[in-house]
Amino acid sequence: MQEDFLHFIWKHKKFKVINLKTEIGEDVSILSVGQHNLNSGPDFFNAKLKIGKQLWAGNVEIHIKSSDWFLHNHEQDKAYDNVILHVVWEHDTDVFRKDNTVIPTLKIQNYLPSELLNNYEKLFTKQNKWINCENDFESTENFLLSNWLERLYFERLERKSKTIETLLHESKNDWEAVLFKMLAKNFGLKVNGESFLSLAQSIDFSIVRKTLSNQQTLEALLFGQSGLLNDDYQNSYYINLVKEYEFLKQKFGINNIQVLPLQFFRLRPPNFPTIRLSQFASLYNKYQNLFSRIIEINTLDGFYELFKVSTSEFWNTHYTFQKESKFSTKTLSKSFIDLLIINTILPIKFCYAKQKGEEIDTVIIDISSQIKSEKNSIIEAFNNLKKVSKSSLESQALIQLKTEYCDKNKCLKCAIGNSLISRNI
C-alpha cells in the first residue's frame, strides 16, 4: 500500500462517499475534497466537510496508519493545526489537536470497492514486467491513449524548454545564440552532441556573427575550436583553414581548452564530425538570420526547404582531411532534418511562443504529426504491446511516458494507470 494511492482515492473520490462515518461514529459529508498539495504541509488544502452537525473548512491529512502522524512529527508543526480530518488506511491511535480534542479520523478502507483494490494490486505487482501495465496496455482505449499522448508530448516540450531557458539566461536573451548552441548539439547527434555543444559554448555568438558572411572563415572557426586543425596535412584547403584560425584566435582572444574531444569511432562516414561541421557552417553562411526564419516558417515542407544545405566543395571528395574519396554531394538527409526539427526547431518555437504569450500548439501538433515516428528500443517495445507510434508526436510522448511515469512507478498520475485502476467499477 502506497500513500500516493490513498491520495488518488481521496482526490478522485474513488470510494463510497455515502454513509461515511468517523471512527467515533460521526457522519461525514464531503462538499469539497480540497486542493492537492504537492509541497510540504497537509496533503489537501481548503477542504469543505460536514462532520456530525458541524460544517468545517480546513485541511485534510492522509496516512497509511494513524500513528504516522507522530512518526512524521506533525504534532510539532503548526502547519497541521488546521487539519479537520485525518484519512487513514489503518487506525491504530487517536490524534489530538493542541486543545486536546480528537481530530476526526476516517478509515477509508471500509469504503473502498474491492475491484479498485484488486486493480491496484494487479497493476503494481512486479513480475519481471517492462512496464507495470504491459499486460493491459493493448486494451487501452484509443481515444484515451491519443489524448494522453498529446498531453505527454507537450510535457516533453516543457521539459526541453527548461534547457532552452537556461541557455537563454546564459546568453542574455539572445535567441540566435541559443539556436546556434541547440543546433550545434543536435548536429553532433548522440556521439558528438556534447562535444559540439561545448564547441558552440566556447565562442561568444558575437564572434560567430562576424564570420557568417564567409563560409571558409566560419569553417576555420568551427574546425579550429573543435581541435581538428592540430595536424600537418598538406592540402591547400587545410592549410588555409589553419592560417585563418590562427588569425581568428589572435583577433578574438579565443581558445578551445574547454571543448570536449570529438569521436569518429563507429560512426558512418556521413556522420563524421568533419562533414557535420561543414554542413553546419553552410547553413549559417546561407541564412545569417536563421532564428527569425525558423519563427516565420510554420510548415514541414518549409523546414525541409530551409535545411537544403550541403558541405563546402572540399568535402565533396573527402570525409576526413587526409584521405580522398569518391565524389558525392553531402546534403542533409530528410531523416537528419527530421531529428533537427524534433529536437531543436519545435522546442525552440514552442518556448519562444510561450515567452511571447502566443498560441502555436496547432502548428506544433501539425508538424510533429507529419514526421515519421522515431525508432529506438522504447518505441519498439511499446509498439510490440500495441501499434501506437506512427509519428514523432507519439514517439516523443512515449519516451516521456516511459522515462517520467513508467520507470518511476507514477501509474497513479498516468491516464492509462488511472483507467486500469478504475476499470469495472
Side-chain angles (χ1 to χ4, degrees):
M1 179 59 60
Q2 299 177 25
E3 200 169 284
D4 282 351
F5 180 51
L6 301 187
H7 291 180
F8 168 80
I9 293 169
W10 179 260
K11 182 177 182 179
H12 300 286
K13 291 186 178 179
K14 297 291 185 179
F15 55 97
K16 299 170 185 175
V17 296
I18 299 174
N19 298 323
L20 296 175
K21 291 186 181 294
T22 67
E23 284 299 284
I24 62 172
E26 292 180 302
D27 293 331
V28 179
S29 297
I30 301 173
L31 306 179
S32 170
V33 297
Q35 179 183 352
H36 197 186
N37 173 34
L38 302 178
N39 300 310
S40 61
D43 295 315
F44 287 84
F45 289 149
N46 302 320
K48 291 184 176 63
L49 311 171
K50 187 176 181 182
I51 303 175
K53 295 181 180 181
Q54 179 69 45
L55 188 63
W56 294 85
N59 304 328
V60 173
E61 179 65 6
I62 296 177
H63 287 124
I64 302 298
K65 295 182 178 182
S66 303
S67 56
D68 291 341
W69 180 279
F70 301 105
L71 186 66
H72 300 158
N73 298 316
H74 292 337
E75 75 280 5
Q76 301 174 19
D77 191 338
K78 291 182 179 180
Y80 293 83
D81 288 349
N82 197 29
V83 170
I84 58 175
L85 184 67
H86 196 200
V87 178
V88 300
W89 184 255
E90 179 183 335
H91 181 57
D92 59 350
T93 187
D94 286 332
V95 172
F96 297 87
R97 299 187 179 93
K98 285 189 175 180
D99 63 2
N100 287 325
T101 57
V102 175
I103 297 177
T105 300
L106 177 68
K107 186 177 176 181
I108 203 166
Q109 68 166 294
N110 294 341
Y111 306 97
L112 201 67
S114 58
E115 295 89 344
L116 186 72
L117 187 57
N118 290 338
N119 290 342
Y120 168 77
E121 290 174 346
K122 178 183 176 184
L123 185 60
F124 283 94
T125 299
K126 290 285 187 181
Q127 295 175 339
N128 298 319
K129 293 187 291 187
W130 181 65
I131 57 175
N132 288 343
C133 67
E134 67 177 50
N135 295 330
D136 299 291
F137 187 81
E138 184 180 11
S139 64
T140 305
E141 292 180 6
N142 290 334
F143 181 76
L144 180 146
L145 187 57
S146 176
N147 283 304
W148 179 229
L149 291 180
E150 185 175 305
R151 179 177 163 187
L152 287 170
Y153 175 72
F154 281 99
E155 272 190 22
R156 188 156 178 82
L157 283 179
E158 289 283 0
R159 183 168 168 267
K160 291 181 178 182
S161 290
K162 293 179 181 178
T163 300
I164 296 171
E165 288 163 1
T166 298
L167 292 174
L168 193 61
H169 176 74
E170 292 172 353
S171 60
K172 299 178 182 178
N173 290 316
D174 187 339
W175 281 98
E176 286 281 5
V178 172
L179 176 64
F180 181 78
K181 293 172 184 177
M182 292 285 291
L183 274 176
K185 183 177 188 299
N186 287 294
F187 261 78
L189 298 173
K190 286 186 177 180
V191 174
N192 284 307
E194 292 303 320
S195 298
F196 274 38
L197 177 60
S198 68
L199 185 163
Q201 291 177 319
S202 73
I203 320 164
D204 192 281
F205 193 69
S206 62
I207 298 172
V208 177
R209 281 192 174 97
K210 294 171 183 176
T211 66
L212 297 181
S213 60
N214 187 306
Q215 179 156 342
Q216 183 162 300
T217 301
L218 181 54
E219 286 189 351
L221 180 65
L222 297 176
F223 283 124
Q225 285 297 103
S226 67
L228 292 173
L229 300 181
N230 297 330
D231 295 299
D232 188 24
Y233 301 126
Q234 296 302 309
N235 63 68
S236 58
Y237 171 70
Y238 183 84
I239 292 170
N240 287 334
L241 288 179
V242 172
K243 288 180 179 178
E244 188 75 47
Y245 180 59
E246 288 301 320
F247 171 76
L248 293 172
K249 280 204 303 184
Q250 293 296 321
K251 181 177 181 179
F252 297 116
I254 56 177
N255 65 70
N256 60 2
I257 296 173
Q258 301 298 323
V259 178
L260 300 173
L262 296 171
Q263 301 294 325
F264 284 79
F265 185 59
R266 291 183 178 175
L267 284 175
R268 293 174 58 249
N271 286 328
F272 277 3
T274 45
I275 303 305
R276 292 306 185 198
L277 284 175
S278 182
Q279 291 167 335
F280 187 57
S282 295
L283 177 66
Y284 270 91
N285 174 247
K286 186 176 181 181
Y287 304 110
Q288 296 178 26
N289 294 297
L290 187 59
F291 175 75
S292 61
R293 288 178 176 268
I294 281 171
I295 295 304
E296 290 168 2
I297 296 172
N298 285 323
T299 65
L300 183 59
D301 287 341
F303 285 119
Y304 285 151
E305 185 64 31
L306 181 78
F307 285 106
K308 273 187 180 178
V309 295
S310 57
T311 61
S312 57
E313 185 178 354
F314 175 84
W315 300 106
N316 289 336
T317 54
H318 291 79
Y319 288 100
T320 62
F321 283 111
Q322 69 270 38
K323 186 177 180 181
E324 194 166 346
S325 61
K326 185 179 178 180
F327 181 94
S328 66
T329 303
K330 299 171 178 66
T331 57
L332 294 179
S333 68
K334 186 177 178 181
S335 61
F336 186 81
I337 296 172
D338 284 344
L339 290 176
L340 295 179
I341 296 171
I342 292 168
N343 295 312
T344 300
I345 304 307
L346 293 183
I348 284 275
K349 285 179 72 70
F350 174 78
C351 191
Y352 182 75
K354 185 175 72 170
Q355 189 183 84
K356 295 294 182 182
E358 298 171 355
E359 176 60 55
I360 64 162
D361 288 5
T362 302
V363 171
I364 298 287
I365 290 172
D366 182 57
I367 294 174
S368 61
S369 297
Q370 292 180 62
I371 300 173
K372 287 183 179 180
S373 170
E374 299 154 275
K375 294 180 180 179
N376 56 49
S377 60
I378 290 177
I379 307 307
E380 183 180 358
F382 272 116
N383 278 340
N384 286 337
L385 299 176
K386 180 184 178 79
K387 184 64 177 176
V388 64
S389 188
K390 304 178 185 67
S391 72
S392 68
L393 186 151
E394 285 119 358
S395 59
Q396 284 286 292
L398 289 170
I399 293 169
Q400 180 74 4
L401 175 60
K402 180 65 167 66
T403 56
E404 297 301 317
Y405 290 83
C406 304
D407 290 350
K408 297 177 180 179
N409 280 324
K410 290 186 176 180
C411 305
L412 298 172
K413 297 180 180 178
C414 169
I416 300 168
N418 273 224
S419 69
L420 292 175
I421 289 175
S422 304
R423 182 174 286 183
N424 301 323
I425 297 173

